[in-house]
Amino acid sequence: MIIALTAICLIAAAYQLVALTATTDHFLLPRGDVVPGPRTPVSILKPMYGADAHLYEALRSHALQEYPQFEILFGVRSLDDPAVPLIEQFFQEFPALDARLIVATTQAPNIKVGTLIDLAAQARHAIFVVNDGDIIVPRRWLRDVTGPLRNPRIGVVTCLYRAVGNTLPARFEALGIATDFAPSALVAPFVGISEFGLGSTLAFRRADLEAIGGFAAIAPYLADDYQLGAQIHRLGRRNVMSRVVVETHLGAATWRDAWEHQVRWARTIRLSRAAYAGLPITHATLWALAAAACGAWRLAIPLFVLRMIVAFAAGWFALRSKDVLIFCWLIPFRDLWGTAVWAAGLFGNTVRWRDRMLTLDKRGRIIDQKAGVRDQGSGVRRAQR
C-alpha cells in the first residue's frame, strides 16, 4: 500500500510542479502572441440577467476602456429585468458612448445563447467580445484581449478571473477559484490544450463564429463558453489565455448555494470533457492527508508544502486575491471540499441554473423538448434611450 501511495503522491507532486511552472511562465515570460497592427473596432456583447450590488461598477468599467472604437450591446429578455434601470443610468452617464439595449426574443435551450444570437445580429463590427454581465474589467482589458486576434492562427482569447464574495460561503468558493481552478486553467495551455474558453472573457472574430454556424451551434449546451472555444479551435485555430485578470462577485448566500453552484460546474465539466474520473490524482491535499494517516510524513509534509506554494503563486501572485492571505488556513479544507464536489459531479445529470432545474445529456446538452433555436435575429427591438 505504501508503494502505491508513494506513486500517487509523486504524481500529485508532479502536477503541482507543472501548475507552478505554468503560473510563473504565464505571468513572467515574454509572450509572442500579439502581431503589431491597427486596433480593429469591437462589438462587446453582454447578455444580462438580474442585478447585484456591484453591477453598475461592472458596467462602468466597460465604458472606461482605453480603446479607439467599440460598441456595447446589452441584451435582456424583458424590460422588467432588474438590470434595465442600471443600464439606463449607464446611458445617461455615458451619452456619447455607442451603446444599445436589445430586448432578445430568440428561444434556445441555453437562454443566454438565445440572447447572444440576437445581439450578434445587431452588432456592427468584425471582432466580438463576450463576457458575463457582472464582470469588472481593467482599463486596458479590451486592448489586451483583442490584440492577439491580429495573429490569424489564434481563434479565441480568454482570461482568468478573480472572484470576490460578501458571505463566507461565497468567499470560500472564491478561494477555490483562486487556488485550485486558476492553476488548473493555466496548466491546460501550458501542456498544449487550448480548446476551451471562459465566460469571464471570450474575444473572437465574427468570421470564425459564422464558420462554426453562429451562436446557434452552441445553443444546446450549458457550457457555452467551453463549446465556443472548442468549436472555433476545430477550425484549426489556437486559443490563448490573456494575462489580463478580470473580477466577478459571487452571490452564494448559503453553503447550499455554493455547493449547488460547484456541483453544477463539476457535472458540466464531466459531460463536456474527457478524463474527469482521473482528476483526483491531482488533489495534493487529499493524498498528503492520506500519507499522514499512514504515518508517511516524508511524503505528506513536502506534498502539502508544495500545494500551498502553488495556491499562493496562483491566488496571490497571479490573481491578487486578498482572500488567499486572509483565509490561507482554509485552503486545505477548500481542497477537501473540492474532492467532495468532484465525487458529487461524478454521478447524475441534473443541475440548477438560475431558477431552472436542467437535465443534461451525455454530451452536456440541455434536454428540453420544447426549446429550440428559432427566429434568429427576429423580434429584436431597441429600448428607447
Side-chain angles (χ1 to χ4, degrees):
M1 180 176 176
I2 290 295
I3 294 176
L5 183 59
T6 300
I8 293 173
C9 287
L10 289 175
I11 293 172
Y15 171 80
Q16 296 298 320
L17 286 172
V18 171
L20 181 61
T21 305
T23 300
T24 55
D25 174 84
H26 180 75
F27 285 96
L28 293 181
L29 295 184
R31 302 289 295 274
D33 298 324
V34 179
V35 175
R39 296 177 184 173
T40 306
V42 173
S43 295
I44 302 175
L45 312 182
K46 291 192 70 66
M48 308 295 294
Y49 179 81
D52 61 28
H54 302 277
L55 179 59
Y56 195 71
E57 179 186 1
L59 301 186
R60 289 190 85 256
S61 70
H62 289 70
L64 302 175
Q65 290 302 296
E66 297 175 357
Y67 201 84
Q69 185 178 358
F70 63 95
E71 64 175 356
I72 306 177
L73 278 69
F74 300 102
V76 296
R77 305 303 296 189
S78 166
L79 290 177
D80 293 328
D81 191 295
V84 171
L86 296 178
I87 296 171
E88 294 290 354
Q89 180 183 344
F90 175 87
F91 291 155
Q92 294 174 10
E93 183 176 357
F94 302 100
L97 189 67
D98 186 0
R100 287 168 284 159
L101 174 61
I102 308 296
V103 180
T105 60
T106 294
Q107 299 299 311
N110 186 321
I111 298 174
K112 170 186 166 183
V113 179
T115 300
L116 285 171
I117 289 172
D118 289 349
L119 294 180
Q122 298 292 310
R124 301 187 181 110
H125 301 312
I127 300 294
F128 287 172
V129 177
V130 176
N131 67 357
D132 295 333
D134 63 345
I135 297 294
I136 300 172
V137 297
R139 286 178 179 262
R140 295 159 68 97
W141 165 75
L142 200 55
R143 187 203 67 175
D144 290 345
V145 301
T146 58
L149 293 176
R150 292 197 290 268
N151 183 339
R153 294 174 296 177
I154 291 176
V156 174
V157 182
T158 191
C159 65
L160 295 174
Y161 57 96
R162 175 177 54 254
V164 179
N166 294 324
T167 66
L168 184 56
R171 297 179 80 170
F172 190 74
E173 189 177 1
L175 186 67
I177 290 172
T179 62
D180 184 21
F181 171 75
S184 69
L186 291 173
V187 165
F190 182 75
V191 299
I193 300 171
S194 69
E195 65 182 27
F196 66 93
L198 304 176
S200 54
T201 294
L202 296 162
F204 51 94
R205 301 175 191 86
R206 179 199 288 265
D208 286 339
L209 177 67
E210 292 173 348
I212 67 170
F215 282 117
I218 64 172
Y221 296 92
L222 181 59
D224 51 273
D225 49 0
Y226 171 80
Q227 288 296 329
L228 180 69
Q231 296 195 32
I232 290 180
H233 177 74
R234 293 188 196 113
L235 298 175
R237 306 286 190 266
R238 179 169 62 91
N239 301 342
V240 299
M241 185 81 72
S242 171
R243 282 182 175 166
V244 66
V245 175
V246 300
E247 184 172 293
T248 187
H249 283 79
L250 301 181
T254 66
W255 289 105
R256 180 176 179 177
D257 291 340
W259 174 262
E260 289 183 345
H261 183 210
Q262 291 293 303
V263 170
R264 185 194 82 202
W265 199 359
R267 287 177 178 166
T268 303
I269 291 172
R270 189 194 90 220
L271 296 171
S272 299
R273 287 175 265 180
Y276 179 84
L279 289 178
I281 201 71
T282 66
H283 294 184
T285 299
L286 172 67
W287 300 114
L289 181 63
C294 293
W297 293 100
R298 291 185 179 181
L299 289 175
I301 294 175
L303 181 57
F304 179 71
V305 170
L306 180 57
R307 166 62 191 134
M308 293 298 288
I309 290 172
V310 171
F312 275 92
W316 172 245
F317 169 72
L319 266 60
R320 297 296 178 184
S321 172
K322 295 179 181 178
D323 280 352
V324 173
L325 299 180
I326 298 171
F327 295 110
C328 59
W329 57 277
L330 279 176
I331 292 174
F333 299 98
R334 207 324 297 186
D335 285 351
L336 296 176
W337 162 288
T339 300
V341 167
W342 168 86
L346 195 59
F347 305 99
N349 62 344
T350 60
V351 297
R352 180 176 295 279
W353 187 56
R354 296 181 175 175
D355 56 352
R356 303 168 65 195
M357 285 299 297
L358 303 177
T359 301
L360 308 179
D361 69 10
K362 62 182 180 180
R363 294 174 56 190
R365 296 175 300 187
I366 299 169
I367 299 174
D368 188 341
Q369 299 298 325
K370 296 180 180 180
V373 177
R374 59 181 174 84
D375 300 329
Q376 294 183 29
S378 66
V380 182
R381 64 189 180 93
R382 194 174 307 167
Q384 296 298 316
R385 292 180 49 181

